[in-house]
């Protein structure tokens, strides 16, 4: 029996169903199809969602933008959750909530789509599965951190995901994650999240076991590490390094 690391996931940035099949079968708790920084199409996204879901991993989609159409397409295709980028204000957060949930929680449009087997499981989907959808808001700018207390006062937010690279960019120190400015902003994010009791998440772009363990100790509940291409690249580099000795 495979071990499932339910809090650990990674990003799928390419349309490779075989790779998604393999990765989702190895124990990742969730895999997120990245529609913001990839060339994956909606049809390809739908195929990847099914592949991940069929292997018992949870299929998330990071939508391309905080847009009702993008969110609706991801959920209608069967995503079990959405990660919404660049949520900087209360207004942004309300838009994400409205787009994710059916009335009365939100204002998501109703259609006979793949998620409900094109209407043949409509009642079951609406009454059960749609209520389990996770909404993760990305906190990736200093504006978002400054507005976080008010954002987390809203209902129906499943958690947040810290984006360190975009956060560093918004602070004028792009890529310098060890900057005191970045560290101070992250500490503030953690303090507010604990105060509001909303689960924290973080993307550790370069897989680092020590950083992952540190995130666990800080009570992060939603940890993304690497991407499909980073894992592939690291494996290739390690192999070539060994045979070149």
């Amino acid at each position: 029996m495979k071990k499932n690391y339910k809090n650990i996931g990674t990003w799928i940035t390419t349309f490779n169903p075989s790779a998604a099949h393999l990765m989702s079968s190895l124990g990742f708790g969730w895999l997120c199809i990245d529609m913001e920084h990839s060339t994956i199409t909606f049809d390809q996204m739908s195929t990847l969602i099914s592949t991940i879901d069929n292997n018992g991993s949870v299929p998330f989609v990071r939508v391309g933008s905080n847009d009702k159409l993008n969110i609706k397409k991801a959920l209608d295709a069967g995503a079990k959750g959405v990660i919404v980028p660049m949520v900087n204000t209360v207004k942004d957060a309300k838009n994400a909530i409205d787009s994710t949930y059916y009335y009365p929680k939100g204002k998501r449009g109703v259609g006979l789509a793949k998620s409900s087997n094109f209407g043949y499981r409509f009642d079951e989907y609406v009454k059960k599965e749609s209520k389990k959808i996770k909404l993760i808001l990305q906190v990736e700018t200093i504006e978002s951190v400054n507005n976080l207390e008010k954002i987390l006062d809203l209902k129906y937010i499943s958690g947040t995901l810290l984006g360190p690279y975009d956060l560093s960019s918004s602070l004028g120190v792009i890529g310098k994650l060890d900057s005191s400015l970045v560290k101070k902003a992250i500490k503030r994010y953690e303090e507010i999240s604990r105060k509001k009791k909303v689960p924290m998440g973080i993307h550790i772009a370069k897989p680092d076991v020590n950083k992952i363990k540190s995130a666990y100790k800080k009570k992060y509940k939603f940890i993304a590490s690497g991407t499909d291409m980073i894992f592939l690249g690291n494996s290739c580099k390690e192999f070539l390094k060994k045979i070149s000795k």
Side-chain angles (χ1 to χ4, degrees), residues 33-121:
I33 301 158
D34 188 0
M35 299 295 287
E36 183 185 19
H37 292 294
S38 79
T39 58
I40 296 171
T41 67
F42 285 116
D43 280 339
Q44 292 169 342
M45 174 194 73
S46 180
T47 297
L48 292 171
I49 287 171
S50 296
T51 300
I52 295 166
D53 196 29
N54 289 340
N55 271 327
S57 186
V58 179
F60 275 82
V61 171
R62 175 163 70 175
V63 293
S65 64
N66 187 2
D67 172 83
K68 68 171 65 175
L69 182 61
N70 286 334
I71 294 172
K72 180 163 53 180
K73 282 182 177 292
L75 295 175
D76 281 354
K80 297 297 193 295
V82 288
I83 299 175
V84 181
M86 291 294 173
V87 177
N88 296 318
T89 66
V90 170
K91 181 179 179 181
D92 292 340
K94 285 181 176 178
N95 183 74
I97 292 166
D98 282 346
S99 301
T100 299
Y101 300 109
Y102 290 133
Y103 181 85
K105 285 185 177 182
K107 302 175 183 177
R108 176 184 166 191
V110 181
L112 304 182
K114 179 185 170 188
S115 57
S116 65
N117 197 26
F118 303 98
Y120 287 94
R121 292 178 53 252

Side-chain angles (χ1 to χ4, degrees), residues 87-91 93 97 137 139 143-145 147-155 157 160:
V87 177
N88 296 318
T89 66
V90 170
K91 181 179 179 181
I97 292 166
L137 306 181
V139 176
E143 182 184 8
S144 182
V145 174
N147 289 322
L148 191 59
E149 282 206 66
K150 292 181 180 179
I151 290 172
L152 297 187
D153 281 337
L154 300 174
K155 294 181 179 180
I157 298 170
T160 61

Side-chain angles (χ1 to χ4, degrees), residues 9-14 23 30-35 60-62 83 138 161 202-205 222 224-229 231:
T10 190
W11 302 101
I12 300 296
T13 63
T14 59
M23 294 177 75
W30 54 273
L31 294 177
C32 181
I33 301 158
D34 188 0
M35 299 295 287
F60 275 82
V61 171
R62 175 163 70 175
I83 299 175
Q138 282 205 257
L161 180 68
I202 190 169
H203 184 205
I204 300 171
F222 195 77
S225 184
T227 70
D228 49 358
M229 296 306 288
F231 281 115

